[in-house]
Amino acid sequence: MLKKVTPLILTYNEAPNIGRTLQNLAWAKEIIVIDSYSNDETLEILNSYPHVKVFQKKFDTHATQWNYGLEQVKSPWVLSLDADYIVTDELIAEIEVLPIIDSQINGYFARFKYCVFGKPLRGTILPPRQVLFRKDKAIYIDDGHTQLLQLTGKSATLSGYINHDDRKSFSRWLWAQDRYMLIEVKKLLETPVNELSLSDRIRKQKLFAPFIILFYCLILKGGILDEWAGWYYAFQRVLAEIMLSIRLIEYEKFYQNQANKD
């Protein structure tokens, strides 16, 4: 099965991560990377791997970047990865023995273990993601600050994990989260309430979401047992929710008032 799979990765200034991700993809005949004109050492690292093929495209949305990437893939199956996803040996072995011909299954979900400076946590708020799928049955659409894969046909869930191990600086994390939250605000305010998930309806209330996410990460997901790493992750997620609440207040109190005056 591995011979039928091409890993597809998006990058933008991923020098702290991309080398570790590529090291666990040595089995791939070709790796497709769509780079949004990185200006750190990302391209230098990518070019040091002979089986990596880099295409550069100015970032528009996640969905357009991923769909552009799909156009470059020649194999029937795609393994869709972020630049900080480490495919574990267990997951690779599981993919290797999947049936090559199975008309019933067109995609596979994988679960995640979130890592803080390389330390896997007991739990994460990351949901399983459909990372392995038939290229001709899939297309990406935008969903808030991220993307959603639309797949024709049935899916299954793999038992192996992917390690999400982002080691970029805290300042870069803040920069990215602020960009994401601007897009999330647009999604929350423009989507009819009856079409929002329960979690999105809670986030829209602004006040409660940070406290709920703190309880969820530390207690329900067992982060308190992960000691400093669990607290770090919980504080990180609370800060992200506070940033979203601030952006929601900013939009409602400033931009809407400006629109009403006009």
Side-chain angles (χ1 to χ4, degrees):
M1 178 63 171
L2 292 178
K3 295 179 181 180
K4 303 289 184 180
V5 177
T6 298
L8 171 62
I9 307 172
L10 302 189
T11 58
Y12 176 68
N13 289 352
E14 290 287 349
N17 295 318
I18 190 62
R20 289 177 294 106
T21 297
L22 294 176
Q23 287 172 8
N24 276 38
L25 300 175
W27 50 267
K29 292 192 299 182
E30 183 176 73
I31 300 171
I32 300 296
V33 175
I34 309 301
D35 181 75
S36 301
Y37 292 94
S38 295
N39 52 33
D40 66 353
E41 295 79 25
T42 297
L43 292 175
E44 182 179 333
I45 296 171
L46 291 171
N47 291 331
S48 69
Y49 288 83
H51 60 311
V52 172
K53 194 169 184 179
V54 180
F55 297 85
Q56 288 193 296
K57 182 180 182 298
K58 183 178 178 181
F59 185 84
D60 181 9
T61 70
H62 282 94
T64 56
Q65 293 294 104
W66 284 113
N67 287 328
Y68 176 72
L70 290 180
E71 294 173 6
Q72 317 311 318
V73 173
K74 299 180 178 63
S75 65
W77 286 82
V78 179
L79 181 63
S80 167
L81 302 171
D82 286 356
D84 51 13
Y85 285 3
I86 312 299
V87 183
T88 60
D89 293 340
E90 293 77 13
L91 186 62
I92 294 170
E94 186 177 0
I95 294 173
E96 186 175 17
V97 297
L98 290 175
I100 295 178
I101 300 176
D102 185 347
S103 59
Q104 297 300 311
I105 304 296
N106 289 336
Y108 293 89
F109 285 87
R111 294 171 294 172
F112 292 89
K113 287 186 178 179
Y114 193 90
C115 300
V116 175
F117 301 111
K119 176 181 173 60
L121 303 183
R122 287 174 171 78
T124 174
I125 64 173
L126 292 173
R129 173 177 160 183
Q130 200 158 32
V131 296
L132 180 65
F133 53 86
R134 295 182 191 271
K135 174 190 170 184
D136 61 351
K137 301 293 184 181
I139 189 170
Y140 281 100
I141 62 172
D142 285 310
D143 182 34
H145 77 271
T146 184
Q147 74 286 329
L148 182 67
L149 183 72
Q150 286 190 334
L151 188 77
T152 302
K154 296 181 179 180
S155 300
T157 300
L158 299 166
S159 59
Y161 282 83
I162 291 176
N163 288 336
H164 183 286
D165 191 3
D166 186 4
R167 301 192 193 180
K168 294 190 293 292
S169 67
F170 181 65
S171 59
R172 170 65 190 279
W173 180 87
L174 283 173
W175 171 82
Q177 291 300 312
D178 192 44
R179 290 178 63 228
Y180 296 159
M181 295 313 162
L182 289 172
I183 301 172
E184 286 296 302
V185 165
K186 180 178 173 66
K187 172 190 173 183
L188 292 176
L189 295 180
E190 294 184 359
T191 304
V193 175
N194 63 327
E195 295 180 14
L196 291 173
S197 65
L198 176 60
S199 61
D200 280 340
R201 290 199 292 270
I202 293 173
R203 299 176 86 196
K204 195 173 179 180
Q205 299 306 310
K206 301 181 286 293
L207 178 61
F208 304 109
F211 297 100
I212 292 173
I213 204 68
L214 180 65
F215 178 81
Y216 185 80
C217 290
L218 290 177
I219 306 304
L220 295 185
K221 287 296 183 177
I224 198 169
L225 301 176
D226 290 310
E227 301 177 340
W228 68 269
W231 284 96
Y232 182 95
Y233 178 64
F235 287 157
Q236 195 179 59
R237 297 322 312 161
V238 168
L239 180 55
E241 290 303 321
I242 291 173
M243 292 171 68
L244 177 63
S245 297
I246 291 172
R247 285 297 190 183
L248 282 168
I249 293 170
E250 178 184 57
Y251 183 88
E252 293 173 352
K253 300 302 181 184
F254 178 73
Y255 293 108
Q256 283 190 345
N257 287 341
Q258 287 294 110
N260 291 336
K261 289 178 181 178
D262 294 340

